[in-house]
Amino acid sequence: MPETPGDWRAALRERGYRLTPQRELILAAVDELGHATPDEVLAKVQETASTVNASTVYRTLEVLEELGLVRHAHLSDRAPTYHSVRGHEHFHLICRTCEQVISVDSAEAAPFVEALSTRGFVPDLGHLTVFGRCADCMDAVADPDGGAR
């Protein structure tokens, strides 16, 4: 998994892809945004390069994912959300009430991964999304007056 900018540039060249300013801008946008849909990436890129269009973003995200530089997950019923692989491998918790996205280090799923491996299955945690309710929203349900009496 490439960790430095030079590594991803080399990965592009090794696979026969040209290093273009658009690809660099799109990867930088994904890095900066954290978790972003293609439309959000497009909006970010167009802040500095208004000529980049949606099809360029979609094609580039596919290439970057094929190269292992970004991943996507389905954090809602809308478009996939992309995030950089730089940093830690993680999965996602999504609060159905406030829609907060919580990134959880894959190591925290070790018991779950072990249980699946005894069944002969190796999960791809980077695509795992668990929907539920966050602690703040649970507290709000338990105390709907917010503590005021």
Side-chain angles (χ1 to χ4, degrees), residues 27-133:
L27 184 57
V30 172
D31 278 341
E32 185 176 332
L33 294 169
H35 295 90
T37 65
D39 288 341
E40 292 165 338
V41 172
L42 175 62
K44 183 66 178 169
V45 169
Q46 286 184 334
E47 289 175 8
T48 55
S50 60
T51 59
V52 174
N53 61 37
S55 65
T56 298
V57 170
Y58 277 93
R59 282 193 318 269
T60 300
L61 288 170
E62 287 177 13
V63 167
L64 295 174
E65 186 163 30
E66 181 183 315
L67 293 171
L69 299 169
V70 300
R71 301 210 54 192
H72 81 275
H74 295 276
L75 304 183
S76 70
D77 58 356
R78 53 188 192 135
T81 303
Y82 289 83
H83 58 275
S84 174
V85 298
R86 294 187 265 222
H88 72 288
E89 183 181 13
H90 62 277
F91 62 96
H92 305 93
L93 306 178
I94 308 294
C95 179
R96 288 199 186 273
T97 304
C98 71
E99 298 180 357
Q100 177 184 11
V101 177
I102 303 165
S103 295
V104 180
D105 191 272
S106 294
E108 291 190 46
F112 177 60
V113 170
E114 180 61 30
L116 292 176
S117 71
T118 63
R119 294 174 171 238
F121 189 83
V122 178
D124 179 359
L125 293 181
H127 286 282
L128 178 65
T129 302
V130 179
F131 292 86
R133 191 174 286 161

